[in-house]
């Protein structure tokens, strides 16, 4: 722990330095100390003005999220902000790094703000299911007007120092050393106050309220756009910002406080907090504590299809040298075109500048000869999902890579141990399962083989983090974490399909649960043929006693491969990407039910959701029990970041604790008795029940 807040007087200015590494979160002890330091500055005769700044890498990034859900400790952040604002001597806030949430609210409570040119300022509370609760909804719009304030609070995205200056959130950008400029300015302001001026308080500002019509228009637009919002915080943010115009400051603050507490106590906020910490927990794996990552500066990508091109693009953006290998010139040219397109789109969207793209492309070396990989530190194979093809690439890599270089595969199902065994260096082999599109999706499953060296695992984690991804450790099994749960999800959906639900009812129920798309919409998008080929490959090893639904096979036999053929579970007219329900599909399903002697029964949306969730949870518990995933939180992160599980529900394992393991187990056991082995409760659930523990207790 740092010193929390230090006090130093420089040329008549009290410099209060917040020091609470790593991110200067505003925990109770810090708040107490800052409160005392402000009082001391006020009473210190040697002081005529105050500067609040922070040590370390950033200005405070907000309230300490770990305190949420616990009894509140005085002084509360709003009280601290009010105390700062009430100071009689002027308070200048010097901002560097990221001033977020409560951190920015402290800054807004100060009388004047100066920031480093690289600083970023934001109100990301909405991403945690809450709203700014220390005056942010009242002070921000008084300075900026409704629209910029709402944009910040509803998107949660920070703005640059330049933008903050433009919208009136800060007063100055430092030209030289931030603290020195802040002190010099504070001294001037102190003199002015001594000469009779009053400090400028945000609560008294009217610049942002000057055009009430525009203000109310912005409110109305946002309110309209939020209709049907599933989260409690966004509509309340709009209400509070509206109040900033219409009611006195104190009344607005009271309204904000009530809304904040209500949102903080909501299930959605608890789930979003879980997601926040889970995403940070997954980075903690035993190998990283025990082994040093190897250096990766030069990287090879084999295969320049959609996946390979996406991976190459993110590696270039992260500053790596990339050698891209394809089997012939035509395939290589197609791959290059994909990378260029991705870059062009990044420029169009303002995510990269043209000169940055040129610099990145200069680090790309496209080749058709694998020998060119002799110098790379790590090579990722990203050829199509076929065991023979992947084995052939691995044999080639084994031949050309230098000793100590890492062989990574982007397979989504194949046995990494078998691939490793086919090389002379299984300890250097690892799975790096990227998700499509690789330049967008945050998740990477790091699949650790039985013989993977710990330094290789540590390297994979370090590399994924460097690429801006969230790596999750997975063990070897068919489908690793995510695709195994997806298989269970699809299976249970197929059972319901055969038993009486339509694909459209199932999709609608899962959208209503919070997924952007239902399982059959996703299947149509991905293409039904790939899974069909896989099922055919696995047919010989399938347990004949296992329930097998043939509907997907029948669709494929009818040439319905999904969106790309204009028909799958849905029909896509004239190249449309929005499918329409298709009576032919319903007829095909009906015929199949008749053939199997199944009398269809209705399924309510709630039952569909419950069955899908239970199947995912049970498979997740099996994966945990087998040691494929380290912790329940790791499974949640995979499902949230890779499979569209609604973030505000926290993930299947988080949901399991919410349902309660006892009722969950009872329901699974009943289904197993009535419907068969698919539903047999995972042994881990029984162990936890016997010990009176919950899944979350396994998160450590
Ligand atoms: C709020 O302010 C409410 C108020 O309006 C009203 C109150 C009344 N608290 O992400 P990193 C930890 S709501 C506690 O890996 P990066 C984090 O867990 C808050 N801990 O680093 C990790 O710990 P560990 C609004 C926090 O550089 C370590 O710090 N603010 C908090 O990739 C490093 O974090 C937010 O929502 C916190 N607030 O990213 C900001 N933040 O090492 C949330 C971080 O033990 N934070 N930690 O795993 C972020 O967005 C990122 O952490 C940040 C740094 C961009 C700051």
């Amino acid at each position: 722990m740092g010193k929390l807040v230090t006090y130093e007087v420089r040329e008549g200015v009290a410099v209060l330095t917040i020091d609470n590494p790593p991110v200067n979160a505003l925990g109770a002890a810090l708040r107490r100390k800052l409160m005392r330091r402000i009082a001391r500055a006020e009473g210190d005769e040697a002081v005529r003005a105050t500067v609040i700044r922070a040590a370390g890498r950033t200005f405070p990034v907000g309230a300490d999220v770990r305190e949420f859900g616990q009894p509140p400790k005085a002084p509360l952040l709003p009280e601290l902000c009010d105390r700062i604002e009430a100071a009689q001597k002027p308070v200048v806030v010097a901002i560097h790094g990221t001033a977020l949430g409560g951190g920015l609210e402290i800054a807004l409570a100060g009388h004047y703000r100066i920031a480093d040119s690289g600083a970023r300022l934001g109100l990301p509370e909405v991403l945690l299911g809450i709203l700014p609760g220390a005056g942010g909804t009242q002070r921000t719009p008084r300075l900026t007007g409704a629209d910029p304030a709402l944009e910040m609070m509803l998107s949660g995205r920070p703005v640059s120092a330049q933008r903050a200056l433009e919208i009136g959130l800060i007063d100055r950008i430092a030209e030289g050393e931030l603290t020195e400029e802040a002190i010099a300015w504070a001294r001037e302001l102190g003199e002015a106050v001594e000469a009779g001026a009053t400090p400028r308080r945000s609560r008294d500002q009217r610049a942002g309220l000057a055009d009430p019509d525009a203000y109310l228009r912005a409110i109305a637009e946002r309110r309209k756009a939020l209709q049907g919002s599933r989260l409690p915080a966004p509509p309340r943010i709009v209400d509070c910002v509206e109040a900033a115009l219409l009611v006195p400051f104190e009344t607005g603050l009271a309204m904000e406080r009530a809304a904040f507490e209500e949102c903080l106590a909501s299930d959605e906020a608890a789930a979003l907090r879980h997601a926040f910490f889970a995403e940070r927990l997954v980075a903690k794996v035993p190998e990283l504590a025990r082994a040093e990552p190897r250096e990766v500066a030069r990287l090879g990508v084999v295969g320049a299809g959609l996946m390979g091109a996406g991976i190459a693009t993110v590696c270039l953006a992260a500053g790596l040298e990339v050698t891209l290998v394809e089997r012939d010139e035509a395939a290589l040219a197609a791959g290059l075109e994909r990378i260029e397109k991705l870059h062009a789109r990044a420029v169009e969207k303002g995510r990269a500048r043209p000169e940055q793209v040129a610099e990145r492309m200069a680090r790309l070396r496209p080749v058709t000869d694998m020998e060119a990989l002799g110098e790379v530190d790590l090579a990722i194979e990203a050829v199509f999902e076929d065991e023979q093809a992947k084995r052939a690439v691995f044999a080639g890599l084994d031949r050309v890579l230098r000793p100590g270089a890492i062989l990574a595969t982007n397979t989504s199902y194949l046995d990494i141990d078998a691939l490793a065994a086919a090389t002379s260096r299984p300890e250097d082999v690892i799975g790096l399962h990227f998700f499509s599109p690789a330049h967008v999706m945050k998740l990477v499953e790091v699949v650790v083989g039985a013989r993977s060296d710990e330094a290789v695992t540590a390297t994979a984690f370090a590399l994924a983090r460097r690429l801006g991804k969230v790596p999750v450790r997975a063990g070897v099994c068919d489908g690793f974490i995510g695709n195994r749960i997806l298989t269970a999800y699809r299976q249970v959906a197929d059972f319901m399909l055969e038993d009486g639900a339509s694909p459209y009812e199932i999709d609608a129920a899962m959208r209503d649960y919070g997924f952007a798309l239902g399982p059959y919409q996703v299947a149509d998008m991905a293409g039904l043929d790939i899974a069909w080929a896989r099922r055919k490959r696995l047919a010989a090893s399938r347990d004949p006693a296992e329930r097998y639904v043939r509907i997907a096979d029948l669709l494929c036999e009818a040439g319905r491969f999904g969106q790309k053929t204009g028909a799958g579970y849905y029909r896509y007219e004239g190249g449309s990407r929005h499918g329409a329900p298709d009576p032919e599909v319903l007829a095909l399903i009906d015929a199949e039910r008749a053939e199997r002697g199944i009398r269809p029964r209705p399924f309510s949306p709630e039952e569909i959701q419950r069955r899908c969730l239970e199947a995912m949870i049970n498979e997740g518990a099996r994966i945990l029990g087998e040691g494929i995933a380290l912790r329940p939180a790791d499974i949640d992160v995979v499902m949230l970041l890779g499979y569209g599980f609604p973030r505000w529900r926290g993930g299947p394992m988080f949901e399991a604790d919410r349902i309660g393991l006892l009722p969950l187990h009872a329901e699974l056991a009943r289904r197993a008795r009535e419907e068969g082995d698919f539903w047999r409760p995972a042994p881990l659930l029984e162990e936890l029940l016997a010990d009176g523990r919950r899944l979350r207790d396994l998160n450590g």
Side-chain angles (χ1 to χ4, degrees), residues 22-23 25 57 61-66 68 77-78 98 100-103 105 124-125 128 130-134 257 260 276-277 280-281 284 465:
V23 290
R57 60 171 150 132
V61 303
D64 188 334
V65 181
R66 288 166 304 191
F68 290 166
L77 200 52
T98 41
L100 301 178
E105 289 174 297
E125 285 87 345
L128 292 170
I130 53 178
L131 57 151
R257 189 76 211 156
F260 176 81
F276 175 81
F277 285 116
R280 281 151 184 88
L281 188 64
K284 300 188 171 74
R465 297 273 285 184

Side-chain angles (χ1 to χ4, degrees), residues 193 298 620:
V193 167
R298 284 163 301 193

Side-chain angles (χ1 to χ4, degrees), residues 194-370:
E194 279 174 359
T198 38
R200 188 200 58 186
R201 300 192 168 88
S202 300
R203 67 165 66 203
D204 302 326
Q205 297 309 297
R206 311 274 319 158
L209 315 180
D211 183 350
D213 287 345
Y215 196 103
L216 290 173
R217 250 195 327 276
I219 296 283
E221 275 164 22
R222 298 284 177 163
R223 191 167 274 146
K224 192 161 158 224
L226 284 176
Q227 264 168 16
S229 156
R230 300 284 292 262
L231 289 166
R236 283 172 179 77
I237 287 173
V238 177
D239 293 347
C240 288
V241 172
E242 182 179 45
L245 176 75
L246 301 178
V247 303
F249 183 73
E250 297 298 340
T251 315
L253 278 189
M255 211 173 132
E256 177 192 88
R257 189 76 211 156
F260 176 81
E261 279 174 5
E262 193 187 320
C263 289
L264 189 65
S266 68
D267 287 347
E268 290 84 353
L272 289 167
R273 278 200 300 281
H274 164 71
F276 175 81
F277 285 116
E279 279 174 10
R280 281 151 184 88
L281 188 64
V282 292
K284 300 188 171 74
V285 295
E287 288 87 350
L288 264 179
R290 290 196 294 253
E292 271 301 304
R294 295 181 192 165
E295 171 117 21
V296 177
R298 284 163 301 193
L299 189 131
V301 178
V302 183
L306 225 52
M307 202 40 129
I311 295 172
T313 306
V314 267
C315 291
L316 289 169
L320 296 161
E321 280 177 36
V322 178
T323 305
L324 181 68
V325 188
E326 255 299 356
R327 57 180 186 280
D328 55 41
E329 290 296 341
L332 191 61
L336 279 177
E337 201 177 306
R338 285 192 192 99
I339 294 175
E340 274 157 10
K341 264 198 192 138
L342 291 176
H343 279 151
R345 212 168 311 142
V347 170
E348 236 171 69
K349 297 216 159 161
R351 286 196 302 262
R353 292 188 307 277
E355 61 275 18
Q356 272 177 317
V357 167
E359 186 272 327
R360 287 176 196 174
M361 287 305 279
R363 275 187 277 107
L364 177 67
R365 201 173 145 218
V367 297
T368 51
D369 185 357
M370 214 185 253

Side-chain angles (χ1 to χ4, degrees), residues 2 54 144 154 161 180 217 240 245 263 279 331 345 373 385 420 508 516 528 540 580 622 650 662 684:
T144 68
L154 292 173
E180 296 308 320
R217 250 195 327 276
C240 288
L245 176 75
C263 289
E279 279 174 10
R345 212 168 311 142
L373 296 177
E385 190 75 8
L528 305 188
R622 283 198 194 103
L662 196 61
L684 178 77

